[in-house]
Short mmCIF file of all heavy atoms in Angstrom, two decimals:
data_model
loop_
_atom_site.label_atom_id
_atom_site.label_comp_id
_atom_site.label_asym_id
_atom_site.label_seq_id
_atom_site.Cartn_x
_atom_site.Cartn_y
_atom_site.Cartn_z
N GLY E 557 3.91 -5.61 -10.56
CA GLY E 557 4.88 -4.63 -10.18
C GLY E 557 4.72 -4.25 -8.78
O GLY E 557 3.61 -4.52 -8.10
N PRO E 558 5.61 -3.48 -8.26
CA PRO E 558 5.53 -2.97 -6.89
C PRO E 558 4.50 -1.81 -6.69
O PRO E 558 3.94 -1.30 -7.68
CB PRO E 558 6.98 -2.39 -6.57
CG PRO E 558 7.43 -1.96 -7.97
CD PRO E 558 6.90 -2.94 -8.98
N GLU E 559 4.29 -1.52 -5.43
CA GLU E 559 3.26 -0.46 -5.15
C GLU E 559 3.94 0.87 -5.72
O GLU E 559 5.14 1.18 -5.40
CB GLU E 559 3.10 -0.23 -3.59
CG GLU E 559 2.44 -1.54 -3.06
CD GLU E 559 2.30 -1.29 -1.56
OE1 GLU E 559 3.28 -1.46 -0.78
OE2 GLU E 559 1.17 -1.00 -1.02
N PRO E 560 3.13 1.59 -6.43
CA PRO E 560 3.68 2.93 -7.03
C PRO E 560 4.01 3.96 -5.90
O PRO E 560 5.03 4.58 -6.00
CB PRO E 560 2.67 3.41 -7.97
CG PRO E 560 1.41 2.72 -7.60
CD PRO E 560 1.86 1.38 -6.96
N TYR E 561 3.15 4.09 -5.07
CA TYR E 561 3.36 5.11 -3.92
C TYR E 561 2.36 4.73 -2.85
O TYR E 561 1.24 5.28 -2.79
CB TYR E 561 3.22 6.52 -4.29
CG TYR E 561 4.04 7.53 -3.54
CD1 TYR E 561 5.46 7.78 -3.94
CD2 TYR E 561 3.63 8.12 -2.39
CE1 TYR E 561 6.21 8.60 -3.24
CE2 TYR E 561 4.38 9.00 -1.76
CZ TYR E 561 5.73 9.21 -2.28
OH TYR E 561 6.54 10.15 -1.43
N PRO E 562 2.74 3.95 -1.72
CA PRO E 562 1.70 3.44 -0.74
C PRO E 562 1.12 4.57 0.04
O PRO E 562 1.64 5.66 0.15
CB PRO E 562 2.61 2.51 0.14
CG PRO E 562 3.79 2.28 -0.67
CD PRO E 562 4.03 3.34 -1.64
N LEU E 563 -0.11 4.35 0.64
CA LEU E 563 -0.72 5.34 1.42
C LEU E 563 0.20 5.77 2.59
O LEU E 563 0.10 6.98 2.92
CB LEU E 563 -1.94 4.69 1.99
CG LEU E 563 -2.80 5.46 3.08
CD1 LEU E 563 -3.30 6.74 2.42
CD2 LEU E 563 -3.93 4.73 3.66
N ALA E 564 0.98 4.90 3.07
CA ALA E 564 1.83 5.41 4.21
C ALA E 564 2.81 6.46 3.75
O ALA E 564 3.00 7.38 4.63
CB ALA E 564 2.71 4.08 4.75
N ASP E 565 3.25 6.39 2.53
CA ASP E 565 4.11 7.44 2.04
C ASP E 565 3.43 8.70 1.84
O ASP E 565 3.82 9.82 2.26
CB ASP E 565 4.79 6.99 0.85
CG ASP E 565 5.97 6.05 1.02
OD1 ASP E 565 6.86 6.21 1.94
OD2 ASP E 565 6.00 5.01 0.38
N GLY E 566 2.16 8.59 1.33
CA GLY E 566 1.38 9.91 1.09
C GLY E 566 1.07 10.45 2.40
O GLY E 566 1.04 11.78 2.63
N CYS E 567 0.71 9.68 3.44
CA CYS E 567 0.40 10.30 4.79
C CYS E 567 1.66 10.90 5.44
O CYS E 567 1.54 11.98 5.98
CB CYS E 567 -0.15 9.18 5.71
SG CYS E 567 -1.85 8.63 5.35
N TYR E 568 2.83 10.18 5.28
CA TYR E 568 3.94 10.75 5.91
C TYR E 568 4.34 12.06 5.25
O TYR E 568 4.66 13.08 6.03
CB TYR E 568 5.07 9.72 5.74
CG TYR E 568 6.45 10.19 6.33
CD1 TYR E 568 6.76 9.83 7.68
CD2 TYR E 568 7.35 10.94 5.55
CE1 TYR E 568 8.02 10.24 8.16
CE2 TYR E 568 8.54 11.38 6.14
CZ TYR E 568 8.82 10.98 7.37
OH TYR E 568 10.05 11.41 7.89
N ASP E 569 4.34 12.21 4.00
CA ASP E 569 4.73 13.40 3.30
C ASP E 569 3.91 14.49 3.70
O ASP E 569 4.33 15.71 3.97
CB ASP E 569 4.65 13.16 1.69
CG ASP E 569 5.60 12.18 1.17
OD1 ASP E 569 6.59 11.87 1.85
OD2 ASP E 569 5.46 11.80 0.03
N HIS E 570 2.49 14.22 3.79
CA HIS E 570 1.74 15.38 4.13
C HIS E 570 1.75 15.71 5.58
O HIS E 570 1.68 16.88 5.98
CB HIS E 570 0.14 14.89 3.90
CG HIS E 570 -0.86 16.03 4.19
ND1 HIS E 570 -0.64 17.29 3.77
CD2 HIS E 570 -2.13 15.90 4.66
CE1 HIS E 570 -1.69 18.05 4.02
NE2 HIS E 570 -2.62 17.22 4.61
N HIS E 571 2.03 14.71 6.55
CA HIS E 571 2.40 15.03 7.95
C HIS E 571 3.47 15.92 8.08
O HIS E 571 3.47 16.92 8.75
CB HIS E 571 2.59 13.71 8.66
CG HIS E 571 2.68 13.79 10.14
ND1 HIS E 571 2.68 12.67 10.96
CD2 HIS E 571 2.60 14.85 10.96
CE1 HIS E 571 2.75 13.12 12.21
NE2 HIS E 571 2.71 14.42 12.26
N VAL E 572 4.59 15.64 7.34
CA VAL E 572 5.80 16.60 7.46
C VAL E 572 5.41 17.91 6.86
O VAL E 572 5.91 18.99 7.51
CB VAL E 572 6.93 15.96 6.63
CG1 VAL E 572 8.09 16.84 6.69
CG2 VAL E 572 7.36 14.59 7.30
N GLY E 573 4.66 17.94 5.70
CA GLY E 573 4.17 19.26 5.22
C GLY E 573 3.48 20.09 6.23
O GLY E 573 3.62 21.29 6.45
N LEU E 574 2.48 19.45 6.95
CA LEU E 574 1.80 20.05 7.99
C LEU E 574 2.61 20.58 9.12
O LEU E 574 2.47 21.66 9.70
CB LEU E 574 0.69 19.13 8.55
CG LEU E 574 -0.42 18.73 7.70
CD1 LEU E 574 -1.22 17.67 8.20
CD2 LEU E 574 -1.33 19.99 7.31
N ALA E 575 3.64 19.83 9.40
CA ALA E 575 4.61 20.13 10.47
C ALA E 575 5.41 21.33 10.06
O ALA E 575 5.76 22.21 10.87
CB ALA E 575 5.59 18.97 10.80
N ILE E 576 5.74 21.49 8.79
CA ILE E 576 6.53 22.61 8.32
C ILE E 576 5.68 23.91 8.50
O ILE E 576 6.08 24.89 9.08
CB ILE E 576 6.84 22.54 6.83
CG1 ILE E 576 7.93 21.48 6.68
CG2 ILE E 576 7.24 23.86 6.18
CD1 ILE E 576 8.12 21.04 5.17
N ASP E 577 4.33 23.85 8.18
CA ASP E 577 3.44 24.96 8.30
C ASP E 577 3.31 25.30 9.89
O ASP E 577 3.33 26.43 10.20
CB ASP E 577 2.06 24.60 7.81
CG ASP E 577 1.20 25.79 7.67
OD1 ASP E 577 1.63 26.88 7.02
OD2 ASP E 577 0.06 25.80 8.22
N ALA E 578 3.18 24.32 10.67
CA ALA E 578 2.98 24.48 12.15
C ALA E 578 4.35 25.14 12.71
O ALA E 578 4.23 26.03 13.51
CB ALA E 578 2.77 23.23 12.83
N ALA E 579 5.29 24.67 12.25
CA ALA E 579 6.64 25.26 12.84
C ALA E 579 6.92 26.74 12.30
O ALA E 579 7.25 27.54 13.11
CB ALA E 579 7.84 24.39 12.40
N ALA E 580 6.47 26.96 11.07
CA ALA E 580 6.54 28.36 10.60
C ALA E 580 5.58 29.34 11.34
O ALA E 580 5.89 30.42 11.56
CB ALA E 580 6.23 28.36 9.04
N SER E 581 4.42 28.80 11.72
CA SER E 581 3.46 29.62 12.36
C SER E 581 3.75 29.85 13.90
O SER E 581 3.43 30.87 14.41
CB SER E 581 2.09 28.92 12.33
OG SER E 581 1.55 28.89 10.96
N SER E 582 4.47 28.87 14.46
CA SER E 582 4.61 28.92 15.95
C SER E 582 5.95 29.31 16.23
O SER E 582 6.31 29.79 17.44
CB SER E 582 4.43 27.50 16.57
OG SER E 582 5.38 26.63 16.16
N GLY E 583 6.92 29.21 15.43
CA GLY E 583 8.38 29.51 15.73
C GLY E 583 9.03 28.37 16.56
O GLY E 583 10.10 28.58 16.97
N GLU E 584 8.29 27.29 16.79
CA GLU E 584 8.88 26.24 17.65
C GLU E 584 9.12 25.10 16.74
O GLU E 584 8.72 24.91 15.58
CB GLU E 584 7.73 25.78 18.68
CG GLU E 584 7.21 26.91 19.53
CD GLU E 584 8.30 27.38 20.60
OE1 GLU E 584 9.18 26.55 20.93
OE2 GLU E 584 8.19 28.57 20.93
N ARG E 585 10.09 24.24 17.31
CA ARG E 585 10.36 22.96 16.64
C ARG E 585 9.22 22.03 16.63
O ARG E 585 8.50 22.06 17.80
CB ARG E 585 11.53 22.29 17.35
CG ARG E 585 12.86 23.01 17.31
CD ARG E 585 14.01 22.16 17.99
NE ARG E 585 15.23 22.99 18.11
CZ ARG E 585 16.41 22.48 18.47
NH1 ARG E 585 16.34 21.25 19.00
NH2 ARG E 585 17.48 23.24 18.57
N VAL E 586 8.91 21.28 15.60
CA VAL E 586 7.75 20.35 15.59
C VAL E 586 8.44 18.97 15.27
O VAL E 586 9.13 18.78 14.33
CB VAL E 586 6.81 20.82 14.49
CG1 VAL E 586 5.62 19.79 14.47
CG2 VAL E 586 6.22 22.20 14.85
N ARG E 587 8.02 17.98 16.09
CA ARG E 587 8.54 16.53 15.89
C ARG E 587 7.42 15.84 15.14
O ARG E 587 6.30 15.81 15.47
CB ARG E 587 8.81 16.05 17.23
CG ARG E 587 9.45 14.65 17.27
CD ARG E 587 10.87 14.71 16.92
NE ARG E 587 11.49 13.33 16.99
CZ ARG E 587 12.57 13.06 16.42
NH1 ARG E 587 13.23 13.87 15.65
NH2 ARG E 587 13.02 11.85 16.71
N VAL E 588 7.90 15.08 14.11
CA VAL E 588 7.01 14.07 13.51
C VAL E 588 7.35 12.66 13.96
O VAL E 588 8.43 12.24 13.62
CB VAL E 588 7.18 14.24 11.90
CG1 VAL E 588 6.34 13.16 11.22
CG2 VAL E 588 6.67 15.65 11.50
N GLU E 589 6.42 11.97 14.68
CA GLU E 589 6.71 10.73 15.18
C GLU E 589 5.39 10.17 15.70
O GLU E 589 4.27 10.85 15.76
CB GLU E 589 7.80 10.76 16.28
CG GLU E 589 7.44 11.60 17.45
CD GLU E 589 8.65 11.71 18.48
OE1 GLU E 589 9.53 10.95 18.27
OE2 GLU E 589 8.40 12.60 19.33
N GLY E 590 5.39 8.87 16.13
CA GLY E 590 4.30 8.28 16.87
C GLY E 590 3.08 8.02 16.08
O GLY E 590 2.03 7.87 16.69
N GLU E 591 3.18 7.98 14.77
CA GLU E 591 1.98 7.69 13.87
C GLU E 591 2.30 6.34 13.15
O GLU E 591 3.41 5.97 12.96
CB GLU E 591 1.67 8.74 12.86
CG GLU E 591 1.42 10.15 13.52
CD GLU E 591 0.12 10.13 14.39
OE1 GLU E 591 -0.71 9.23 14.20
OE2 GLU E 591 -0.02 11.03 15.12
N PRO E 592 1.22 5.60 12.71
CA PRO E 592 1.54 4.31 12.06
C PRO E 592 2.36 4.39 10.82
O PRO E 592 2.92 3.46 10.38
CB PRO E 592 0.10 3.68 11.90
CG PRO E 592 -0.82 4.92 11.90
CD PRO E 592 -0.17 5.92 12.87
N TRP E 593 2.31 5.58 10.21
CA TRP E 593 3.03 5.74 8.92
C TRP E 593 4.46 6.15 9.20
O TRP E 593 5.27 6.37 8.17
CB TRP E 593 2.27 6.76 7.97
CG TRP E 593 1.93 8.07 8.63
CD1 TRP E 593 2.72 9.14 8.87
CD2 TRP E 593 0.68 8.41 9.18
NE1 TRP E 593 2.00 10.04 9.62
CE2 TRP E 593 0.72 9.63 9.71
CE3 TRP E 593 -0.51 7.62 9.30
CZ2 TRP E 593 -0.35 10.35 10.32
CZ3 TRP E 593 -1.70 8.27 9.85
CH2 TRP E 593 -1.56 9.60 10.33
N VAL E 594 4.86 6.49 10.40
CA VAL E 594 6.20 6.89 10.71
C VAL E 594 6.89 5.54 11.27
O VAL E 594 6.88 5.37 12.42
CB VAL E 594 6.22 7.99 11.79
CG1 VAL E 594 7.73 8.46 12.05
CG2 VAL E 594 5.51 9.07 11.38
N ASP E 595 7.46 4.83 10.39
CA ASP E 595 7.97 3.48 10.91
C ASP E 595 9.42 3.18 10.28
O ASP E 595 9.96 2.10 10.52
CB ASP E 595 7.10 2.35 10.32
CG ASP E 595 6.89 2.30 8.89
OD1 ASP E 595 7.67 3.02 8.17
OD2 ASP E 595 5.96 1.61 8.40
N GLY E 596 9.98 4.22 9.74
CA GLY E 596 11.45 4.01 9.23
C GLY E 596 11.50 3.17 7.98
O GLY E 596 12.67 3.05 7.53
N ARG E 597 10.47 2.70 7.36
CA ARG E 597 10.60 1.97 6.20
C ARG E 597 10.74 2.96 4.94
O ARG E 597 10.27 4.03 4.97
CB ARG E 597 9.40 1.07 5.87
CG ARG E 597 9.14 0.09 6.98
CD ARG E 597 8.04 -0.73 6.77
NE ARG E 597 7.71 -1.63 7.94
CZ ARG E 597 6.60 -2.38 8.00
NH1 ARG E 597 5.71 -2.48 7.07
NH2 ARG E 597 6.49 -3.12 9.00
N THR E 598 11.35 2.44 3.93
CA THR E 598 11.58 3.39 2.73
C THR E 598 10.23 3.57 2.06
O THR E 598 9.85 4.70 2.05
CB THR E 598 12.63 2.69 1.87
OG1 THR E 598 13.80 2.56 2.51
CG2 THR E 598 12.82 3.61 0.61
N GLY E 599 9.70 2.60 1.49
CA GLY E 599 8.49 2.67 0.89
C GLY E 599 8.41 3.53 -0.42
O GLY E 599 7.24 3.59 -1.02
N LEU E 600 9.54 4.18 -0.80
CA LEU E 600 9.48 5.00 -1.97
C LEU E 600 9.82 4.11 -3.21
O LEU E 600 10.06 2.96 -3.10
CB LEU E 600 10.53 6.05 -1.82
CG LEU E 600 10.32 7.19 -0.84
CD1 LEU E 600 11.54 7.94 -0.61
CD2 LEU E 600 9.07 8.01 -1.31
N LEU E 601 9.71 4.84 -4.38
CA LEU E 601 10.03 4.09 -5.63
C LEU E 601 11.35 3.44 -5.47
O LEU E 601 12.38 4.07 -5.10
CB LEU E 601 10.09 5.06 -6.76
CG LEU E 601 8.68 5.72 -7.23
CD1 LEU E 601 8.93 6.90 -8.07
CD2 LEU E 601 7.81 4.63 -7.79
N ASP E 602 11.48 2.13 -5.92
CA ASP E 602 12.73 1.49 -5.84
C ASP E 602 13.43 1.78 -7.07
O ASP E 602 13.06 2.67 -7.87
CB ASP E 602 12.56 -0.03 -5.70
CG ASP E 602 11.71 -0.65 -6.87
OD1 ASP E 602 11.60 -0.01 -7.87
OD2 ASP E 602 11.24 -1.78 -6.74
N SER E 603 14.58 1.07 -7.34
CA SER E 603 15.42 1.45 -8.43
C SER E 603 14.72 1.41 -9.90
O SER E 603 15.07 1.99 -10.79
CB SER E 603 16.64 0.58 -8.54
OG SER E 603 16.32 -0.78 -8.58
N SER E 604 13.52 0.57 -9.84
CA SER E 604 12.74 0.43 -11.08
C SER E 604 12.01 1.65 -11.35
O SER E 604 11.36 1.87 -12.45
CB SER E 604 11.89 -0.69 -11.01
OG SER E 604 10.87 -0.61 -10.05
N GLY E 605 11.86 2.57 -10.41
CA GLY E 605 11.00 3.78 -10.53
C GLY E 605 11.72 4.93 -11.02
O GLY E 605 11.17 6.08 -11.09
N ALA E 606 13.02 4.79 -11.22
CA ALA E 606 13.74 5.99 -11.73
C ALA E 606 14.81 5.52 -12.70
O ALA E 606 14.97 4.37 -13.09
CB ALA E 606 14.58 6.60 -10.57
N GLY E 607 15.53 6.52 -13.31
CA GLY E 607 16.77 6.18 -14.16
C GLY E 607 16.21 5.82 -15.53
O GLY E 607 15.20 6.51 -16.03
#
Side-chain angles (χ1 to χ4, degrees):
E559 297 178 282
Y561 210 88
L563 176 62
D565 284 310
C567 288
Y568 180 94
D569 294 344
H570 188 37
H571 189 172
V572 176
L574 292 168
I576 290 171
D577 189 59
S581 298
S582 68
E584 303 291 332
R585 298 182 184 182
V586 176
R587 185 75 173 160
V588 173
E589 59 185 352
E591 302 295 342
W593 51 81
V594 185
D595 58 12
R597 299 178 187 175
T598 300
L600 290 169
L601 292 167
D602 62 16
S603 58
S604 67

